[in-house]
Amino acid sequence: MSTDSDLLAPLDLAFWNIESPEHPMHLAALGVFEATSPAAARHAADLLAARAAGVPGLRMRIRDIWQPLRLRQTSPFDLHGPLAFGGAAREAAPDFEPLDHVRLHAPAADFHAVAGAIMQRPLDRDRPPWEAHVVPGEAGTSFAVLFKFHHALADGLRALTLAAAVLDPMDMPAPRPRPAEPARGFLPDVRKVPGLVRDALSDVGQALDIGASAARATWGARSTAALVSQPTGTRRVAGAAVELDEIHRIRKSVGGTVNDVLIAVVAGALRRWLDERGDSSEGVSPRALIPVSRRRPRTAHPQGNRLSGYLMHLPVDDPDPLARLAAVRTAMDRNKDAGPTRGAGAVALLADHVPALGHRLTMPVVGQAARLLFDLLVTSVPLPSLGMTLGGCPLTEVYPLAPLARGQALAVAVSTFRGRVHYGLVADAEAVPDLGLLAESLTAEVAELTAACVS
């Protein structure tokens, strides 16, 4: 394996192997820019292609490797070493051509509709797994850029770093250097064996605890057929934007965190959507997986997904908006008290306990079982509050888009950018033909919560 290769972390490897043509594992962001000239979109596409050539992270492809097993010193039971049998690694693509990854589309009136068609197409696994799609607006006053990154190449924070690298330069805090990794051998240092065994036993206990919690999470689950999908491979995208001041006003009135309010808005919007489309919300409390990043934001060149999560029942069946928010707050407080490394939501951590070959053999099966653990994803993507531009055109809206798990009809991602909260919705197009109604329900729910707080 080349010295320029970077072995995929366990969770990255899981994302790489869990993918199927009907369930591509890429995340994305739809950015809307103000056009400063009629040629702004074409100029933006040219800039993206030119700048991508100079970003090392965008040159990285993922290659399967089949080499002898090697142990890592951190644990005698960890089978993910530099020469992991059945693993995969990032390496610089020798024939990288940016024009293969940046595409200029025809003008469109609805950026989200175009994004849906693009989101359903898997990335080319033989090339660096990312794309940038530039879509001019029909009116000529705006254009959109849809960035797609495979989850094995980047998590939300890494994707933000890579996307920012091809936007106009801006002042960013200097990243903290990563500590040097100790040299690794085929066998652990005998002086460290007692500690390694103790850590390994702790890891086993953690895995058993997570597994038991995941099993308990399926008891009494009350979802709805509207959130279940047969794999069609189709995608629909919608978005909603609300004022951050409104969210802060609600939070100050009832307590909790901004994230509590944002999750409660999703619960209320689902209730409104189900009732308006003719599916009853009575007795419905779907399980939402809330991802939690375990990475320090300023780490230099962050590589590898480091995610855990919280699992909670959304109080969709409760008719009182303030009671829904209180239920979300209580559930999130309980999750935070337990911590992100225990409980059913920490199931992503189990990837660390599976050997590389096991990922290759078992991940397709695990992907089919995702619906047994949770009904929808609700994730928050951090964005800098700084103004960003492309070719001098200011970025005005950012809608994060998450991948769909097998058997699930909806994924919700949220970002806060320059005084507004943007909800990005991705759905199976055949299962959820009325995704726009759910987007409208989000804004209506914020208005209802605001009214309830002042009444």
Side-chain angles (χ1 to χ4, degrees):
M1 188 168 57
S2 167
T3 56
D4 293 331
S5 295
D6 175 31
L7 191 73
L8 260 62
L11 191 52
D12 299 344
L13 189 58
F15 287 136
W16 187 246
N17 287 316
I18 209 170
E19 184 173 59
S20 70
E22 296 80 17
H23 286 87
M25 288 303 298
H26 51 251
L27 47 82
L30 179 66
V32 179
F33 294 81
E34 179 185 326
T36 55
S37 73
R42 180 173 295 278
H43 180 51
D46 292 341
L47 281 176
L48 291 174
R51 292 171 178 173
V55 180
L58 296 179
R59 302 179 64 92
M60 303 301 285
R61 67 178 181 181
I62 295 176
R63 182 172 65 89
D64 293 332
I65 57 174
W66 296 88
Q67 293 181 300
L69 178 67
R70 183 174 176 178
L71 297 179
R72 181 184 289 177
Q73 283 203 25
T74 54
S75 167
F77 300 103
D78 188 345
L79 303 183
H80 300 281
L83 300 177
F85 183 70
R90 301 180 190 87
E91 65 175 13
D95 54 351
F96 175 64
E97 174 49 69
L99 292 177
D100 292 336
H101 299 262
V102 179
R103 300 167 192 176
L104 179 64
H105 293 252
D110 186 343
F111 295 141
H112 288 95
V114 177
I118 297 172
M119 283 294 289
Q120 69 189 29
R121 297 198 293 266
L123 291 162
D124 188 339
R125 291 168 68 95
D126 294 324
R127 294 176 176 171
W130 67 275
E131 292 174 353
H133 297 262
V134 182
V135 185
E138 279 189 346
T141 57
S142 64
F143 66 90
V145 179
L146 179 71
F147 289 102
K148 287 171 54 177
F149 296 95
H150 198 287
H151 221 326
L153 178 71
D155 61 5
L157 183 59
R158 176 64 172 164
L160 172 63
T161 302
L162 292 172
V166 291
L167 299 181
D168 295 345
M170 59 180 179
D171 294 329
M172 295 288 287
R176 297 170 182 168
R178 288 189 292 176
E181 294 189 5
R184 296 168 178 171
F186 281 89
L187 294 175
D189 187 333
V190 293
R191 294 169 296 179
K192 299 180 179 180
V193 167
L196 293 175
V197 171
R198 183 172 57 252
D199 292 345
L201 291 175
S202 176
D203 289 346
V204 171
Q206 180 193 42
L208 292 174
D209 179 69
I210 294 172
S213 298
R216 289 194 298 270
T218 64
W219 300 347
R222 295 173 294 164
S223 186
T224 170
L227 296 178
V228 179
S229 167
Q230 296 299 319
T232 68
T234 61
R235 293 293 180 270
R236 193 179 303 274
V237 167
V242 298
E243 297 300 322
L244 182 59
D245 284 346
E246 291 295 304
I247 302 299
H248 280 303
R249 193 172 293 118
I250 296 167
R251 178 191 61 80
K252 291 177 181 177
S253 175
V254 299
T257 68
V258 166
N259 201 43
D260 293 343
V261 179
L262 298 179
I263 296 171
V265 167
V266 174
L270 286 172
R271 176 183 176 83
R272 186 183 303 269
W273 173 64
L274 289 172
D275 289 340
E276 290 191 16
R277 79 196 309 252
D279 295 318
S280 175
S281 61
E282 184 177 354
V284 174
S285 59
R287 297 155 300 172
L289 180 64
I290 317 293
V292 177
S293 175
R294 298 171 57 238
R295 174 183 290 137
R296 295 176 181 175
R298 290 183 63 196
T299 299
H301 308 295
Q303 295 278 14
N305 283 274
R306 293 186 56 81
L307 294 172
S308 183
Y310 298 139
L311 195 68
M312 63 176 295
H313 289 265
L314 294 180
V316 172
D317 55 347
D318 195 319
D320 184 346
L322 294 182
R324 289 194 295 269
L325 178 51
V328 167
R329 181 182 176 186
T330 298
M332 287 299 289
D333 286 345
R334 187 184 305 117
N335 277 319
K336 291 171 187 175
D337 288 341
T341 61
R342 297 278 179 178
V347 68
L349 300 183
L350 294 179
D352 292 339
H353 304 283
V354 179
L357 182 59
H359 280 279
R360 184 181 298 275
L361 298 177
T362 64
M363 281 305 116
V365 177
V366 171
Q368 296 182 30
R371 187 170 59 84
L372 299 177
L373 176 64
F374 63 98
D375 300 298
L376 78 158
L377 182 76
V378 182
T379 184
S380 178
V381 180
L383 292 176
S385 58
L386 302 174
M388 291 184 278
T389 61
L390 177 57
C393 300
L395 177 64
T396 58
E397 303 170 58
V398 183
Y399 298 92
L401 304 172
L404 278 184
R406 180 177 291 274
Q408 296 177 343
L410 175 68
V412 181
V414 193
S415 68
T416 300
F417 180 67
R418 307 206 73 184
R420 305 191 84 193
V421 175
H422 296 92
Y423 283 91
L425 309 177
V426 177
D428 182 285
E430 294 188 17
V432 189
D434 56 348
L435 189 62
L437 176 60
L438 179 57
E440 294 171 4
S441 298
L442 289 164
T443 56
E445 180 62 16
V446 172
E448 183 175 355
L449 265 172
T450 301
C453 288
V454 300
S455 61

